[in-house]
Structure formats: structure tokens, C-alpha cells
Amino acid sequence: MTRTHGLGWCMATLLVACGGNEDAAGSDADTDTGFTTGADTDAVDETSASTTAGETEAEDESGDETGETEPEVELEVLSPPEHLIRISMALRGTRPSTEDLAAIEADPDRMPEFVDAYMQGDGFAEVVRDLHNDALLTRVEGALPNYAPLEDVRPQRIADSVTATALKLAELVVLDDRPYTELVTGDTWMVDDVVAAVYGITDGGSGWREVPIPGDRPAAGILSDNAFYLRHESAGANFHRGRANAVSTAFLCFDYEDNNIELDDNIDLTDAEAVAMALTTNPACQACHETLDPLASHFFPLPGNVMNNDIPSYPVPDLYRPANADDWQQTTGRAPGYFGQETSDIGELGQAIAEDPRFTACAARRFYAYFLQRRLDEVDGDTVDALEATFQDSGLQARALIRAIMLSDDFRVAGAASAEGADEVQGYLRARPFQLALLLEDLTGFRWEIDPTLIDPGQGEGIIDLSRSAAVGFAVLGGGGDSFTVIESAHTMNATTSLFIRQLASEAASYVVEHDLREGEGALLTLGDAVDEASVREQLASLFFRLYGEAVESNGPDVDDAYALFAALHGASGDHERAWKATLAALLQDFSITFY
């Protein structure tokens, strides 16, 4: 699949790239994909694959109500280099090296090798945290008091660490190839120096590290971690039901709020006693509360919510209070339980979740939905079953599950070969703000950051990454979420995402010119002060390969458009640095940067 960049119009206006057209897809050779969905691997030839478009539940063989079968949609698939680019962007937010692209072009059978190599490092770790935050929603930006010994740390920086512990545990489980059940059964926490100070942990370590869970609470992985309960609060007469639903949604993909239940409008919702009676006797209420309330009863040892004025100093008072474990007797009257199974505390709850077939099925569904940018309910049952089997065979190693997704036929889909059925085919994946930040840092060395101490020295230390921050930066405007008011990322372009990408590209372009041309420290622009046409064209051709993974001729049409822009800007200003800043800003806004 090749893309037409349309740089003449897009770059001349310096707006976000206007997209591209797809020519015939190419696939030089099949690879050993293991799990397959969509087109049968055997059906993938050098140009296309045929399958039924869309992700649907298993359909009756008779087709629709008229007895007609749905026509198959011929699909175009990515060539091996394009597939490698998608894998690299999905797993670590960066492009493959030119050497990797050349290697996969020569031998497509090496694809599994590159998948394994890309599931390493900081970029992959951030992807893992982001994936799990979609389920846990613990990464909420706020502020915690900067009491001693953290008086010199920015309040937002303290909150960032405290809310990251559950995600760091998920990262540890995945990167250490531990059984995925340790997410809900593990006996350790993840802490850094800030978290250790907040909770009074004196292990003598430094940086992010693994420490034993405090002895006063059962071992239940994330369910033993304060971060989950600081985010998912419970107040008033909720009696931890919201927390119970958060657990069910995160680990079982079962959201009680999705239940289609007709409520009895004869219940007086202003009468607390009438409501309590209805929850145990009214069939409409019992449909949820028969299992929801026992699930919620596990969490009474945890405070409903913790406000800043509840934290007088560090370390904070213990946030797990076994003495309150029986408070369900004075509230809902429902003993702790797990869908009819007797369980006593969060330790037994975590074990019950780990043994529930829905736990592994949910993981398969969630990982697939994340990497293919689908909603959970858009992932069909056959896909979940196939992935879950691979997951189980691996001993519940998350990397085996991810590998199967990366090498699947579904992940290679580039689009429909014709207009018929094209609306049902998703051929592009959109980079999230943190992926764009990783990509541009890898390409240019630029990080879009501010130091708040330059504005208010009293705020304490802590750099803010504007691409990743939702409260101070532009993560939400760029299409990400804040885990509280915006809990789903955008997978299409809109006005604010366009503005975000435009500014990010402009800032990165200025950085490149100042460091590569002016100081000679970078490696993206290498032509120095040369402005002759041949040198500029060679530089542009090199940029196309580095930025987009596309080999183009220096005298080709894509370079024609880019050179026309550079020449016009240089001719108008007489300043080659200014011309390169604008040209590179346009190149960094191209469709091939924002989508993969």
C-alpha cells in the first residue's frame, strides 16, 4: 500500500496533513501468524486478502432474514515493511530503523523476530501502562500536599506517582512474563521514592521498585493497591457498589450499567428504607444487586474517599482498616461473595477473579480492542476464543497474546479493494498523543515540556510533558483521555486534534532546525547551509524514508511538492532556516505521521 501525500496543498497551507489515497496493497510473502482472524492466511496472496468486512458476532449461515448471504469484501493488506511500521508504532510508538525495514523487505518471515524485539524498552512499557489505564482509569491528574519530606516536590508530581502504582504493577507483570493472574493475586506493590515517602515505606531502595504489600492487607495485586481506590471512590449510600462495578468492568469486561433492565417505577427513590427493601425483594433490582452488593462488600475496609484535608502529614494513615470489614452488616446486609461463591476478603476476591474464565477472555478482548482501536463490544466471540486459547497455551503471558494480535491477519488490513463495503473496513490506526510524542522524540530528539518553576518557583520540582498531561498539557485536545471526564481516546481527527498535531509538529520542526542545522547536533537534517536544488531534494528524499518509511526518488512527484514549498518559502524570506522550519513542520503533520 502506498500513500499519496498531496504535499503541495497540505504543506503550502501549513495545516494538518489532508490524508492520502491508497493504491493497490502489497504483501511480498506470508508470515507465520499463529492466531488468525479475518482472512484465512492461506488466502493472502501478493496483492490482497478476501474476508467478510467488519467485526461481528458469529452469524447464521443463512445470512440475513431474506436468506441472502453477506457478500465478502476483498481486502487490501499491508506489505511487510508497512506491516512492520504498524507493529512498531503500536508496540513502542516509533518507526522501525531503516535497517529493520530493509531486513523485513528481504525476508518477511522475520516478522515474529521483530515483534519480540519491539516488546522491549521504555516505549513498550508506556504502551502497556496506557493499555491497562483504559481498563483501570487510575491515571487521573491532581495534586497531593507536599508535606515533608516532599516539601520540594510539585504537588502534581506527587499525585502522578501515587496514581501510577497500579499501572506500574501491570507493566511489571507483562515485561517480566509473569502469569497475568498476578494482576489480581500478586503480593507486591510498585513504589518510587515519592510513593515510599507518602506511605512510609523504608525499604532502602530508589527509583521504581517492587516491595512487599503491607502485612495488614491480603495479597490481591491491583486490588490491594491504594491507587485503584483513590480513583474509584465511594460516598454516601453507594456502599462501594461503584467500586465493585469498576472491578467487574476492568477485569471481567462486565459492566453492570450495560444491563438492559426495566426498572420498577413504583419504587419511592426518596425513601431509603423502601429502596433498601427493593434491592433484596424487587426482581428488577435483584437482577444486578444480587451479585453486585456481595462484590461491593469486600471493600468496606477501605475508606470511601480520601480528601486532601484527610491527609495531615506523611506518611498517610493506613488506608486499609480490617476493623471495618463487617460494616456490610449495618448497610446492605450482603456478605462478601463472588457471583454465588463465598469469599471473605479482597484476597479471596482476587483469587476468584483469577479462576474465572471471564478474566482471560476479558484480557483477550481488551488487548485486541486496544491495538485495533475497537470498542470492547465490537470484538467478536470467535476472535476472543482464538486469542484466549493462545493466551492459555502460553501460561497467561501477556506478550504471547500481544504477539498473536500483531501477527494476525486483522492487524494487516489496509483497506477495501473497492468502494463496496469499504465503510465497514478500518484500514488505518491513529496514533495517540503519547505515541506521537514518542515518535517525534525518536525522530527529532524533541520533547514538548515546560518547567513550572519558571512560572511559579514555589510550586516545587517536576517537569510537565505537554503531550501527555491532560490537566496542564494537551493530551485530551490531542485525542487522549484524562481517565475521569474523558475515558475513551479518539481514533479519528477533529478540530482540536488537528491543532494539537499542528503545534507539536511546529515545535519539533523548530527544535530540529536549531539543533541539526544551527548546532550540528542532530541527524535528521544533514545538508548544512546548502540550498541548491539537488542538495535540498536529496535531503527531502531522505526525510521521506526516515519519517514515513517510503523510498522515493529525489526527482519524484512527492519531492516535487515538498521542494516547491521549500523554494517558495526560501525565495520569499531568503532565510533557509525559516524555510526548513516550515517545510519540516508540514512534513511532520502528514497523514503518515498521525496514522499508521
Side-chain angles (χ1 to χ4, degrees), residues 464-532:
I464 298 174
D465 189 310
L466 296 177
S467 298
R468 292 172 171 86
S469 170
V472 179
F474 311 108
V476 172
L477 296 180
D482 62 6
S483 302
F484 196 79
T485 58
V486 180
I487 61 174
E488 292 184 2
S489 293
H491 301 314
T492 57
M493 295 292 289
N494 56 40
T496 61
T497 58
S498 298
L499 291 171
F500 166 78
I501 293 167
R502 177 181 182 180
Q503 190 62 34
L504 177 60
S506 297
E507 297 282 351
S510 294
Y511 177 89
V512 169
V513 171
E514 291 170 8
H515 285 74
D516 287 26
L517 291 185
R518 188 174 301 171
E519 300 178 11
E521 293 182 354
L524 199 61
L525 295 179
T526 58
L527 78 172
D529 294 333
V531 293
D532 61 282

Side-chain angles (χ1 to χ4, degrees), residues 22 33 54 86 99 106 142 199 330 467 563:
E22 296 179 350
T33 61
R86 178 171 290 182
E99 293 79 10
Y199 296 135
Q330 291 79 44
S467 298
Y563 177 73

Side-chain angles (χ1 to χ4, degrees), residues 301-353:
L302 292 139
N305 53 46
V306 178
M307 309 299 291
N308 280 1
N309 56 12
D310 296 325
I311 304 175
S313 61
Y314 293 138
V316 298
D318 193 3
L319 297 180
Y320 188 84
R321 302 159 189 175
N324 298 338
D326 292 334
D327 283 1
W328 57 268
Q329 296 177 352
Q330 291 79 44
T331 53
T332 64
R334 303 270 195 168
Y338 182 78
F339 296 96
Q341 174 184 343
E342 290 186 9
T343 47
S344 62
D345 56 29
I346 57 174
E348 292 189 6
L349 171 62
Q351 191 63 44
I353 292 174

Side-chain angles (χ1 to χ4, degrees), residues 186-256:
D187 59 1
T188 56
W189 276 1
M190 291 295 291
V191 302
D192 66 355
D193 296 352
V194 169
V195 177
V198 169
Y199 296 135
I201 296 171
T202 56
D203 64 318
S206 62
W208 281 104
R209 69 258 189 200
E210 192 177 12
V211 299
I213 287 177
D216 64 342
R217 66 181 71 191
I222 288 171
L223 298 179
S224 298
D225 193 310
N226 291 331
F228 189 80
Y229 305 105
L230 291 172
R231 161 60 179 90
H232 299 284
E233 300 174 334
S234 181
N238 182 258
F239 301 135
H240 306 284
R241 293 181 178 112
R243 283 174 170 166
N245 191 46
V247 168
S248 177
T249 302
F251 298 111
L252 304 177
C253 295
F254 175 61
D255 188 345
Y256 281 89

